[in-house]
């Protein structure tokens, strides 16, 4: 069997590897020619995706990569994993999906299956993608080609979470479309979860991410309330999670980051408006999570104040700009919001991140592009008035941090196991 996977990012690349390892010939397609060149040379651009795995599959011709979308005519199935961001006005931007649909439509083979994996609002596959594919191919979905939606559940850097063993939800445009999609994923994934439609599958993914967003907001709010009462939220969560039923731990932080949780819930908000419905939980969670960086900056100001210093003129190191531990993904990172807020208040801000040696250009924080991580050594660390732990990468030596830094503001409870740090740590 030969399939194509379009969009070779955090989702599409590990998925390509899993299919290629399952004796399926995979054609990877991307519009980014630099990525295509790297992959064809057996190299990786994602920290947790091993270059050796790519090289082996490229050498054995199980995995080939191209920018030529007309090659779609050779494949039995196409899986689409392109970005679904928000526009400047925080509305869904499904232009990448539509553009992909337009590029592949003229080349889809009769009887082929097209599956969308990008997170999106209910109705995207059945209505928007289907229409683009039908118009560009002159064929009918469900008759001449098959159509399905199957959300990705990738959890980068989680060793326990592998593409093969994460159950896969699948919805088809017709029962036959579902059958075709089940047959495809059954080759590479251990457990499939069929649902009655593409809309249900789309809505399932949104529920999963809204659930995270709302629960993170809850612990973020409780963090602030408990701190005012002199209670440490981290200790409370550790105790609560011993309950063997009815509780699941979520952890507070400096604000939301990444490609999913800060964005996906608002896909539903936008679609719900069309039906005259309001998404109050999503809006409230968004408000609380968005306010977190301001709270953290207040805690930095408190920590400096205790040393008779002000934010204005202080030297502050932000530790970690990736949005979560042990990844090199800095998209939508709250660290950039923190850096921005601190600089607006006159602080001199630097950062350290072992996985982000140089900051890439971003739309929201273009002023940081090209800045380089400082070196990890005593001479550098002792010079900061505050070290602000924004991401708790496990490769960081927190004992050294406790020894070297004069004041630490900790948003991740990273210093909890370093007794010698007590007295210089401010939880935020
Ligand atoms: N990153 C995650 O952990 C994660 C988890 C679950 C779901 N998702 C969802 O999966 C989708 C993809 O996310 P990602 O993190 O892999 O994004 P990404 O930015 O890492 O990768 C997307 C890739 O698509 C390519 N691309 C863009 N437009 C294209 C086009 N028209 N044709 C072909 N290629 C194109 C880009 O060059 C890039 O390589 C999004 O909808 C996201 O919400 C992501």
């Amino acid at each position: 069997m030969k399939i194509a996977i379009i969009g070779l990012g955090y989702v599409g690349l590990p998925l390509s590897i899993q299919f290629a390892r399952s004796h399926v010939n995979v054609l990877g397609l991307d519009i980014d020619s630099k990525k295509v060149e790297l992959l064809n040379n057996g190299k990786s651009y994602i920290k947790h995706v091993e270059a050796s795995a790519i090289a082996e599959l490229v050498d054995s011709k199980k995995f080939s990569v191209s920018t030529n979308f007309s090659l779609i005519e050779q494949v039995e199935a196409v899986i689409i994993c392109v970005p679904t961001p928000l526009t400047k006005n925080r509305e869904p931007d499904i232009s990448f999906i539509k553009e992909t649909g337009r590029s592949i439509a003229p080349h889809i083979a009769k009887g082929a299956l097209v599956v969308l994996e990008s997170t999106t609002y209910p109705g995207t596959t059945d209505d928007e993608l289907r229409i683009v594919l039908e118009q560009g191919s002159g064929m009918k979905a469900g008759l001449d080609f098959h159509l399905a939606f199957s959300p990705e559940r990738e959890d980068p850097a989680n060793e326990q979470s592998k593409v093969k063993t994460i159950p896969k939800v699948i919805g088809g445009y017709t029962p036959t479309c579902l059958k075709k999609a089940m047959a495809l994923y059954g080759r590479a994934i251990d457990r499939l979860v069929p649902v009655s439609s593409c809309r249900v599958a789309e809505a399932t993914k949104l529920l999963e991410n809204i659930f995270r967003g709302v629960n993170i907001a809850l612990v973020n709010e409780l963090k602030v309330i408990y701190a005012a009462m002199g209670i440490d939220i981290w200790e409370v969560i550790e105790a609560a999670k011993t309950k063997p039923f009815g509780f699941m731990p979520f952890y507070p932080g400096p604000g939301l980051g990444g490609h999913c949780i800060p964005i996906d819930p608002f896909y539903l908000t936008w679609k719900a408006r069309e039906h005259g419905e309001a998404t109050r939980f999503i809006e409230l969670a968004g408000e609380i999570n968005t306010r977190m960086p301001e709270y953290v900056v207040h805690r930095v100001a408190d920590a400096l104040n205790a040393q008779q210093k002000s934010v204005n003129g202080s030297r502050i190191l932000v530790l970690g700009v990736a949005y979560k531990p042990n990844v090199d993904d800095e998209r939508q990172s709250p660290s950039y919001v923190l850096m921005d807020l601190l600089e607006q208040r006159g602080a001199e801000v630097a950062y350290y991140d072992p996985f982000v040696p140089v900051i890439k250009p971003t739309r929201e924080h273009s002023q940081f592009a090209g800045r380089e991580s400082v070196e990890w050594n005593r001479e550098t660390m002792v010079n900061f008035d505050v070290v602000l732990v924004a991401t708790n990468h496990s490769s960081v030596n927190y004992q050294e941090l406790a020894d070297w830094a004069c004041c630490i503001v900790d948003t991740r409870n990273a210093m909890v196991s370093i007794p010698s740090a007590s007295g210089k740590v401010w939880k935020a």
Side-chain angles (χ1 to χ4, degrees):
M1 186 182 199
K2 185 163 184 178
I3 68 167
I5 295 184
I6 304 184
L8 301 170
Y10 284 85
V11 168
L13 187 55
L15 188 68
S16 300
I17 292 173
Q18 179 51 27
F19 269 107
R21 280 181 175 157
S22 311
H23 312 293
V24 174
N25 285 310
V26 178
L27 165 67
L29 291 170
D30 204 293
I31 48 168
D32 185 338
S33 53
K34 277 196 220 123
K35 284 186 178 167
V36 168
E37 196 185 323
L38 284 168
L39 293 173
N40 275 326
N41 288 319
K43 301 210 169 105
S44 177
Y45 39 77
I46 298 178
K47 188 181 91 51
H48 58 276
V49 176
E50 300 257 337
S52 57
I54 296 167
E56 190 190 315
L57 294 166
V58 168
D59 285 349
S60 65
K61 312 236 176 300
K62 284 268 161 226
F63 183 35
S64 57
V65 192
S66 175
T67 52
N68 180 359
F69 284 66
S70 71
L71 295 172
I72 290 285
E73 59 200 25
Q74 304 170 355
V75 303
E76 291 166 60
V78 183
I79 300 177
I80 302 172
C81 311
V82 295
T84 43
L86 291 173
T87 64
K88 257 191 193 160
N89 300 326
R90 301 192 64 71
E91 294 191 342
D93 176 5
I94 63 160
S95 62
F96 297 86
I97 296 177
K98 288 187 165 174
E99 193 189 314
T100 303
R102 279 190 287 272
S103 318
I104 64 171
H107 310 291
I108 300 173
K110 200 157 190 225
L113 166 71
V114 179
V115 189
L116 179 63
E117 288 218 5
S118 306
T119 308
T120 184
Y121 52 78
T124 309
T125 311
D126 281 3
D127 297 338
E128 322 224 17
L129 179 60
R130 177 182 59 81
I131 289 166
V132 170
L133 294 176
E134 289 183 345
Q135 282 175 348
S137 67
M139 297 195 285
K140 278 263 165 245
L143 289 175
D144 306 309
F145 69 95
H146 304 285
L147 185 61
F149 181 82
S150 180
E152 180 49 54
R153 284 171 162 168
E154 172 75 0
D155 185 12
N158 179 349
E159 286 300 321
Q160 310 311 318
S161 163
K162 298 275 173 235
V163 178
K164 184 179 186 313
T165 53
I166 303 172
K168 196 111 179 68
V169 173
I170 307 174
Y173 178 58
T174 66
T176 313
C177 294
L178 174 61
K179 227 166 111 188
K180 290 270 178 193
M182 297 278 288
L184 167 68
Y185 284 106
R187 287 170 175 261
I189 311 283
D190 290 348
R191 188 170 156 223
L192 306 181
V193 184
V195 294
S196 62
S197 64
C198 296
R199 281 177 158 74
V200 169
E202 288 159 336
T204 303
K205 175 70 190 181
L206 290 182
L207 167 62
E208 292 167 10
N209 284 355
I210 292 163
F211 176 77
R212 272 191 73 71
V214 167
N215 280 288
I216 292 169
L218 176 66
V219 286
N220 273 335
E221 184 168 69
L222 290 179
K223 166 181 78 173
V224 177
I225 296 167
Y226 283 166
M229 298 173 177
I231 299 166
D232 179 356
I233 182 76
W234 294 91
E235 193 184 347
V236 173
I237 295 169
E238 281 310 299
K241 80 182 195 198
T242 59
K243 185 179 179 189
F245 48 87
F247 183 81
M248 183 187 279
F250 284 85
Y251 299 97
L256 294 181
H259 192 325
C260 297
I261 313 298
I263 293 170
D264 303 344
F266 296 97
Y267 268 63
L268 188 65
T269 297
W270 179 84
K271 194 66 182 171
R273 276 204 295 271
E274 194 181 300
H275 297 267
E277 297 292 341
T279 52
R280 285 177 292 168
F281 267 108
I282 294 173
E283 299 284 359
L284 180 59
E287 238 174 73
I288 293 169
N289 288 328
T290 310
R291 272 210 307 264
M292 273 308 113
E294 283 284 356
Y295 172 73
V296 172
V297 168
H298 278 295
R299 294 292 287 162
V300 171
D302 289 345
L304 285 166
N305 197 41
Q307 306 170 59
Q308 294 173 321
K309 292 176 185 168
S310 62
V311 175
N312 194 348
S314 284
R315 297 198 66 215
I316 299 174
L317 181 78
V318 172
L319 200 162
V321 293
Y323 81 90
K324 70 174 198 170
N326 311 323
V327 300
D328 56 356
D329 189 349
E330 33 160 356
R331 290 177 291 178
Q332 311 280 325
S333 175
S335 301
Y336 294 145
V337 182
L338 291 169
M339 288 165 69
D340 213 353
L341 291 173
L342 290 167
E343 286 192 352
Q344 280 172 31
R345 286 159 178 73
E348 201 184 304
V349 181
Y351 83 94
Y352 171 75
D353 194 312
F355 303 127
V356 186
V358 183
I359 295 178
K360 294 188 206 103
T362 58
R363 194 170 62 187
E364 297 82 11
H365 303 285
S366 52
Q367 75 271 33
F368 300 132
R371 277 204 205 174
E372 292 179 15
S373 167
V374 300
E375 301 273 317
W376 183 264
N377 55 46
R378 178 189 292 272
E379 294 68 46
T380 311
M381 294 300 150
V382 293
N383 277 323
F384 290 102
D385 298 298
V386 171
V387 175
L388 168 55
V389 181
T391 314
N392 49 335
H393 290 308
S394 42
S395 62
V396 169
N397 187 330
Y398 293 100
Q399 183 61 62
E400 284 179 348
L401 179 62
D403 295 344
W404 298 340
C406 68
C407 174
I408 300 164
V409 174
D410 185 2
T411 67
R412 301 284 192 177
N413 211 25
M415 305 306 292
V416 68
S417 55
I418 314 287
S420 62
S422 81
K424 55 167 96 167
V425 176
W426 294 68
K427 293 199 181 187

